[in-house]
Amino acid sequence: MPVSNEQVPLDQGVGRVLARPVTSLIDLPRDANSAMDGWAVSSPDGPWRIAGSALAGHPSHEPLAPGTCAVIATGGVVPSGTYGVVRREFGDVTETDGVQWVGVNGDNRGEPFKDSHIRPAGAEATAGEELILPGTLLSPAHVGLSSVSANDSLWVYRPITAAILIMGDEVSHSGIPAVGQVRDAFAPQLPQYARALGLTVVQTSFIADTLEAAIAAIRDADVDVIITTGGTAAGPADFLHRALAAVGAELVIDQIAMRPGHPNLLASLGDNRFVVGLPGNPLSACLGGMLTLVRPLVRAMSGRPQQRLGTVPTAAAVKAPAADSRLVPYSLVETPEGLAAAENKWLNSAMLRGLATAHGVMVIPPGGALAGQAVVDLPLAWAAPEL
């Protein structure tokens, strides 16, 4: 089910999902090196004659002779024959007859000791070791690790393209809506919402309330995921089911036992392409369909494991239908037992005010939940972006 993958340069990897493991091509570190500025010394007892240097990027190719040391910088390759490293602040340099010597001073804390301040080769990883597993959403730190392990590119899943088709003749796009119209709640937010869930939105279109327009829009959308709004029920202007049948789509999910969002649907167009049908009511679509259908679909298509959901205690009893789960936007409040989730106001399926002020979403089981009961906590995409 995941989409195909592609090879990209390291600087294009952040925010992409890894398709093939990142393997270290070298030992990390490649060579034993110093963790401090100071002197690489040949024995536990000084003083030591300064016989060379081992600066970062300029390794010494001569082994340390007995009784000698080499000036070394952090990251410098430790010369062969090194007993340990004395930190700069614990050593004093003296000169006799033009020869420089290093001895430890009174601040010394037992240095040097065997392998003091030496980072051994392979301490972080060995050549051939897998460092980052497929399905990982790549961060800047992942890309940095890929680079220091001598990789020049990454294999990632290609972007998942999406089209958003907004249906409804009653939708007004600017100014004060006329009688019988409503301002568009979807075009300004759904593309951003979809991007936060990991989609690359290439099209946002407004579709007339006709069967022909719905069929043409779905057929013409050359993307991986089509997200529609409205038309998922069985009203006189609801054409989505008939349009899907006309294009040969197979219904995978037709209605969900939850409120709001009961009329959400998922259909397969074949060739790993899908249609997510969101209801026309904003809360039903944005709360129900986007979080319970689009989010898991995108994670599966991008090769990511499904999200592990935590729980949150309820601040008070919360009602739910006898047969359906209820998605409830909540705000965190202080209770004698600690922080808990309090049901927001304005949760009619046509309202967005309760969702706009939410910290998260409680999933209330059928029949409701008691005060203090732990219920599933559904995180909001914009609270923890998934790009």
Side-chain angles (χ1 to χ4, degrees):
M1 189 172 179
V3 295
S4 59
N5 52 73
E6 60 187 9
Q7 193 173 21
V8 300
L10 293 181
D11 62 359
Q12 296 178 23
V14 173
R16 304 292 293 273
V17 178
L18 193 66
R20 303 183 190 180
V22 173
T23 300
S24 184
L25 304 182
I26 56 174
D27 287 343
L28 282 181
R30 180 185 182 280
D31 307 286
N33 65 78
S34 178
M36 294 286 179
D37 293 336
W39 298 269
V41 299
S42 59
S43 62
D45 299 312
W48 305 271
R49 178 174 58 85
I50 299 177
S53 65
L55 304 181
H58 302 279
S60 171
H61 300 290
E62 297 294 329
L64 285 180
T68 67
C69 67
V71 177
I72 197 164
T74 301
V77 175
V78 174
S80 62
T82 296
Y83 174 80
V85 171
V86 175
R87 282 186 283 184
R88 177 168 295 277
E89 59 267 33
F90 294 159
D92 291 327
V93 177
T94 59
E95 186 171 330
T96 303
D97 298 328
V99 177
Q100 290 187 317
W101 297 81
V102 173
V104 294
N105 59 34
D107 294 329
N108 175 41
R109 299 175 184 174
E111 295 184 10
F113 48 85
K114 182 60 177 171
D115 296 327
S116 54
H117 310 303
I118 294 177
R119 301 166 176 155
E124 185 174 5
T126 56
E129 185 176 348
E130 287 190 358
L131 303 179
I132 312 173
L133 299 179
T136 300
L137 183 65
L138 294 170
S139 69
H142 290 127
V143 171
L145 177 60
S146 302
S147 181
V148 298
S149 60
N151 289 277
D152 297 322
S153 60
L154 298 160
W155 282 95
V156 296
Y157 290 105
R158 68 166 176 79
I160 302 171
T161 57
I164 295 174
L165 309 180
I166 300 170
M167 302 178 179
D169 292 339
E170 77 281 10
V171 175
S172 168
H173 306 299
S174 63
I176 305 298
V179 175
Q181 291 189 321
V182 294
R183 273 297 297 268
D184 171 31
F186 293 127
Q189 67 163 317
L190 278 190
Q192 307 301 325
Y193 203 158
R195 292 185 186 104
L197 291 173
L199 291 168
T200 298
V201 179
V202 299
Q203 173 190 347
T204 301
S205 302
F206 299 97
I207 311 302
D209 268 337
T210 68
L211 176 60
E212 295 74 19
I215 292 172
I218 294 171
R219 279 183 173 161
D220 293 344
D222 185 18
V223 293
D224 300 304
V225 177
I226 300 170
I227 299 174
T228 67
T229 68
T232 58
D238 293 329
F239 301 110
L240 186 58
H241 283 84
R242 283 180 283 168
L244 291 172
V247 300
E250 177 185 356
L251 280 173
V252 179
I253 297 173
D254 189 11
Q255 300 184 346
I256 303 175
M258 68 180 183
R259 306 287 177 174
H262 181 71
N264 282 283
L265 65 82
L266 173 66
S268 171
L269 294 171
D271 298 323
N272 211 28
R273 298 175 62 232
F274 297 91
V275 177
V276 178
L278 306 180
N281 280 317
L283 188 62
S284 298
C286 297
L287 178 59
M290 293 298 286
L291 293 182
T292 65
L293 287 180
V294 176
R295 173 185 272 163
L297 175 65
V298 172
R299 291 180 77 97
M301 294 181 73
S302 62
R304 296 183 68 193
Q306 291 302 324
Q307 191 172 29
R308 289 187 177 184
L309 301 178
T311 61
V312 63
T314 59
V318 186
K319 296 179 180 179
D324 295 339
S325 297
R326 182 174 170 228
L327 305 185
V328 180
Y330 71 79
S331 296
L332 289 172
V333 297
E334 287 283 357
T335 71
E337 290 74 32
L339 285 176
E343 179 177 358
N344 279 2
K345 299 179 181 178
W346 307 291
L347 298 183
N348 180 283
S349 61
M351 298 176 177
L352 282 175
R353 188 172 176 181
L355 181 59
T357 58
H359 293 137
V361 179
M362 294 185 282
V363 182
I364 305 301
L370 301 174
Q373 181 176 335
V375 296
V376 172
D377 184 12
L378 195 61
L380 298 168
W382 51 88
E386 304 189 15
L387 275 175

